[in-house]
């Protein structure tokens, strides 16, 4: 937790009430975003995102596997987050492990929706090579390098950028396999299929401080929150997932208002992120 004096707490809370935060932003303004893609050469796709002093990396590794027997027509996605002990003092020891687990579960829920797969921002059926026999397993790893609040949104943006940078090798399946026989496959080292990120969402976290809520909260602002609601929304305006932190209850009408605000902010974030991703990809090709 961030240690603040009573005066600093009043300053943060008063600024938010007057729609003028301590760093000069309005309540619904996000910090400038910096995006770099292709930062890990061994991965199928990777990206680094900075939002203010929050710095995160995401990488995607694709491996051939076998579909789940209960979902033979879908591939698998596993999300794991690691908080570097050097990112913040609270990440040392069990504090970092607990936050890593919490972020991993929240990202999985925001990207893949419910257990049924409804609302999923990643089309798992597109990962199937041979139904019931072969699929792609995507392992998405996130690393928190530096933390100054709003980790979930930053990791969500980094994952979207990393998936945009991801190339899935082309697979040729040999004919002739029958029944339960596992077909032979040839994985190309030269031909790659670009991963479709048109429905991959961004995450917008609305943090309630006093009577108001803000987006892209800093660590100091998060220390004064009573609750936070994270909503993942894609370009089509579909809600892919929703999570809540904090013990205070919420009236349904407030949640609907938060969703409306999140839709507006997510549109701005997606446009900003897409332009940064395009610029980063262009720079990568030139180099």
């Amino acid at each position: 937790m961030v240690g603040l004096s009573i005066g600093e707490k009043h300053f943060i809370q008063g600024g938010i009430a007057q729609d003028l935060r301590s760093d000069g932003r309005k309540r619904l303004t996000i910090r400038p975003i910096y995006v770099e893609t292709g930062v890990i050469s061994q991965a199928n796709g990777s990206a680094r995102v900075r939002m203010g002093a929050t710095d995160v990396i995401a990488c995607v590794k694709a491996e051939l596997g076998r579909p789940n027997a209960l979902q033979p027509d879908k591939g698998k996605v596993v999300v794991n987050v690691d908080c570097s002990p050097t990112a913040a003092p609270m990440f040392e020891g069990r504090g970092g492990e607990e936050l890593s687990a919490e972020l991993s579960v929240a990202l999985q829920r925001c990207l893949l929706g419910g257990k049924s797969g409804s609302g999923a921002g990643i089309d798992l059926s597109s990962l199937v090579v041979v139904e019931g026999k072969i699929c792609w397993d995507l392992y998405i790893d996130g690393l928190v390098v530096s933390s100054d609040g709003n980790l979930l949104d930053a990791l969500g943006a980094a994952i979207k950028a990393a998936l945009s940078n991801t190339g899935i090798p082309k697979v040729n399946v040999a004919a002739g396999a029958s029944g339960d026989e596992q077909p032979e496959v040839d994985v190309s080292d030269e031909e790659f299929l670009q991963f479709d990120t048109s429905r991959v969402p961004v995450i917008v976290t609305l943090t309630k401080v006093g009577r108001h809520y803000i987006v892209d909260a800093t660590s100091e602002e998060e220390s004064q929150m009573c609750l936070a609601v994270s909503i993942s929304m894609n370009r089509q305006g579909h809600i892919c997932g929703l999570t809540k932190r904090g013990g205070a209850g919420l009236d349904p009408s407030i949640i609907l208002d938060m969703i409306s605000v999140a839709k507006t902010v997510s549109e701005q974030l997606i446009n900003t992120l897409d332009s940064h991703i395009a610029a980063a990809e262009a720079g990568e090709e030139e180099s």
Side-chain angles (χ1 to χ4, degrees), residues 22 44 56 58 86 91-92 104 106 122 141 157 170 179 203 222 232 268 275 281 283 287:
S22 53
N44 291 85
V56 298
T86 59
F91 294 167
E92 295 178 9
S104 300
I122 296 176
D141 292 309
K170 188 175 180 181
I203 302 171
E222 285 181 343
S232 61
Q268 299 169 0
S275 64
E281 294 283 3
S287 60

Side-chain angles (χ1 to χ4, degrees), residues 171-183:
V171 179
N172 295 311
V173 182
S178 59
D180 294 332
E181 229 179 284
Q182 196 74 355

Side-chain angles (χ1 to χ4, degrees), residues 14-262:
I16 290 171
Q18 296 176 44
D19 200 15
L20 182 62
R21 294 155 72 175
S22 53
D23 57 7
R25 289 182 290 151
K26 292 184 176 295
R27 286 193 288 262
L28 302 181
T29 304
I30 61 175
R31 290 171 288 186
I33 298 177
Y34 169 83
V35 179
E36 185 181 357
T37 58
V39 293
I40 301 176
S41 57
Q42 299 92 334
N44 291 85
S46 60
R48 184 172 193 164
V49 168
R50 297 190 188 102
M51 297 176 75
T54 294
D55 187 358
V56 298
I57 296 173
C59 70
V60 181
K61 191 72 177 172
E63 295 181 3
L64 284 176
R66 194 180 182 97
N68 189 310
L70 298 175
Q71 295 180 314
D73 59 340
K74 294 181 179 180
K76 298 191 289 288
V77 175
V78 179
V79 182
N80 182 64
V81 176
D82 184 34
C83 296
S84 171
T86 59
M90 64 176 287
F91 294 167
E92 295 178 9
R94 289 190 59 83
E97 294 175 10
E98 290 171 1
L99 183 60
S100 296
E102 182 185 322
L103 288 169
S104 300
V105 170
L107 284 167
Q108 190 100 7
R109 191 174 297 155
C110 287
L111 290 171
L112 302 178
K115 291 182 180 179
S116 64
S118 60
I122 296 176
D123 182 11
L124 298 181
S125 60
S126 68
L127 300 175
V128 172
V129 179
V130 179
E131 186 172 329
K133 294 182 178 180
I134 302 173
C135 70
W136 283 108
D137 294 340
L138 293 187
Y139 296 93
I140 302 175
D141 292 309
L143 174 65
V144 178
V145 180
S146 177
S147 173
D148 185 26
N150 204 30
L151 288 176
L152 190 61
D153 296 17
L155 285 164
I159 288 172
K160 184 174 175 67
L163 287 170
S164 298
N165 182 246
T166 296
I168 305 291
K170 188 175 180 181
V171 179
N172 295 311
V173 182
S178 59
D180 294 332
E181 229 179 284
Q182 196 74 355
E184 292 185 10
V185 296
D186 177 41
V187 182
S188 174
D189 292 328
E190 298 176 351
E191 292 185 81
F192 294 87
L193 303 174
Q194 197 66 30
F195 191 84
D196 180 17
T197 60
S198 60
R199 301 182 70 85
V200 176
V202 293
I203 302 171
V204 176
T205 297
L206 294 160
T207 305
K208 194 166 187 290
V209 179
R211 298 174 58 187
H212 304 276
Y213 41 80
I214 58 175
V215 299
D216 192 16
T218 63
S219 294
E220 290 185 348
E221 290 170 335
E222 285 181 343
S223 72
Q224 302 306 300
M225 79 172 192
C226 53
L227 61 87
V229 175
S230 299
I231 303 164
S232 61
M233 200 170 283
N234 62 19
R235 182 174 285 282
Q236 291 74 24
H238 298 150
I239 298 173
C240 300
L242 189 148
T243 63
K244 174 182 168 292
R245 285 182 295 138
L250 269 179
D251 187 271
S253 62
I254 295 177
I255 294 178
L256 291 174
D257 186 41
M258 284 182 156
I259 290 172
S260 176
V261 171

